[in-house]
């Protein structure tokens, strides 16, 4: 049976903002209700439009931000109750690959130093030879050559820089990686190379990955499970096949209906949501989608729907699927 590596319950992150002259305290509800779980060795694709709270969720999991409320359980431990030494170990087990590898790689360091640094900090090896061997192994694992270790980040293409970021993220042999829009800045042909590399490494190392993207085709390619976020809330989640073949939530249906179908003989009805996404500093009452939802009912403006399991492993937060 598969083991749950990460469990998130009712996670919230509200950022305080000052409201003009009245100095009334307001909050940007970047993450408002996120509940999900990820099994070991699984790729969980978190998808949603820009500003929906996906990246903040990733940073909360990595302990880079403190949650306002909710629980994050990693490898059986609640990460808000860890001692300093346990937190240090947690940092080793969790890594991130950013969208922009150029910004995340120190331009003054050669690639050798970039990859070696986390292993030196965590004192993984006793001798220089052992460290050397591992740095060379890692650069080869991501499809680059030994001679690349002697170069600086600016001497590489975007795809190569992302390979270097991946090598660095693997240096501490992590259990869990957050890939935050990791292929979004790359050309489509390079995107597929990096996705293939991530998929290969995920299988080889039995890695667990939270793959954050706004791009449904990328999410469909790489994920085992998918979570759909809207305005700080996970509104639907389940196995990739279920989400893409039989979406339940009106927001997921609208997102999928906007994806072009490669076969011109097939037709799909386009579902248009009214208006724009409301501001996370002033989210609507009840269901966050209700001002825009073509299926809304009276209850939708009043009550936030629970995230319910409607079929095995397929969860949806919508009053259309409330228990009768
Ligand atoms: Fe639409 Fe109501 Fe379902 Fe929200 S709860 S998605 S408003 S039908």
């Amino acid at each position: 049976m598969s083991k749950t590596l990460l469990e998130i319950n009712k996670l919230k992150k509200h950022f305080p903002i000052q409201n003009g002259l009245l100095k009334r305290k307001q909050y940007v509800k970047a993450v408002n209700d996120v509940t999900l779980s990820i099994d070991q060795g699984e790729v969980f694709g978190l998808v949603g439009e820009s500003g929906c709270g996906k990246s903040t969720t990733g940073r909360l999991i990595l302990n880079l931000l403190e949650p306002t409320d909710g629980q994050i359980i990693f490898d059986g431990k609640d990460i808000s109750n860890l001692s300093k030494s346990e937190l240090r170990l947690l940092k080793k087990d969790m890594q991130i690959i950013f969208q922009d590898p150029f910004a995340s790689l120190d331009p003054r360091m050669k690639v050798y130093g970039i990859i070696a640094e986390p292993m030196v900090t965590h004192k993984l090896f006793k001798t220089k030879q052992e460290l050397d061997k591992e740095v060379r192994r890692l650069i080869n694992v991501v499809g680059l050559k030994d001679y690349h270790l002697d170069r600086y980040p600016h001497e590489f293409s975007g795809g190569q820089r992302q390979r270097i970021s991946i090598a660095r993220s693997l240096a501490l042999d992590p259990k869990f990686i957050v890939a935050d829009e990791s292929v979004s800045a790359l050309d489509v042909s390079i995107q597929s190379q990096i996705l293939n590399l991530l998929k290969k490494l995920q299988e080889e190392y039995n890695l667990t990955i939270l793959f954050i993207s706004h791009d449904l085709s990328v999410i469909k390619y790489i994920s085992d499970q998918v979570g759909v976020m809207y305005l700080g809330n996970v509104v639907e989640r389940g196995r990739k096949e279920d989400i893409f073949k039989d979406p339940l939530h009106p927001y997921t249906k609208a997102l999928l209906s906007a994806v072009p179908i490669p076969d011109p003989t097939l037709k799909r009805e386009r579902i248009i949501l009214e208006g724009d996404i409301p501001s996370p500093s002033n989210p609507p009452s009840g269901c966050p989608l209700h001002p825009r939802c073509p299926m809304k009912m009276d209850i939708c403006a009043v009550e936030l729907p629970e995230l319910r399991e409607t079929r095995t492993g397929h969860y949806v937060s919508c009053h259309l699927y409330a228990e009768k």
Side-chain angles (χ1 to χ4, degrees), residues 249-250 287 289-290 293 295-297 300 305 317-320:
H249 197 281
C287 169
L289 191 67
H290 89 260
C293 180
M295 312 290 287
K296 64 178 165 258
M297 305 170 284
C300 303
S317 159
C318 174
H319 290 304
L320 292 171

Side-chain angles (χ1 to χ4, degrees), residues 87-155:
L87 268 177
R88 210 175 121 81
L89 280 177
L90 178 82
K91 288 217 156 94
K92 183 176 167 296
D93 279 343
M94 292 178 158
Q95 295 295 314
I96 185 163
I97 305 166
F98 291 101
Q99 173 177 0
D100 180 358
F102 203 50
S104 63
L105 301 176
D106 188 337
R108 296 157 305 174
M109 278 173 103
K110 286 187 176 174
V111 172
Y112 184 97
I114 289 171
I115 299 175
E117 190 186 42
M119 297 186 278
V120 172
T121 308
H122 284 263
K123 301 188 176 73
L124 285 203
F125 298 105
K126 287 200 179 83
T127 65
K128 171 90 174 73
Q129 286 78 358
E130 285 174 308
L131 175 69
D132 240 40
K133 199 171 153 203
E134 184 59 7
V135 172
R136 283 172 206 287
R137 187 187 75 78
L138 285 166
I139 200 76
N140 297 152
V141 156
V142 297
L144 295 175
K145 303 272 186 262
D146 288 20
Y147 61 80
H148 286 126
L149 292 168
D150 202 31
R151 297 187 181 171
Y152 289 96
H154 74 265
E155 296 178 70

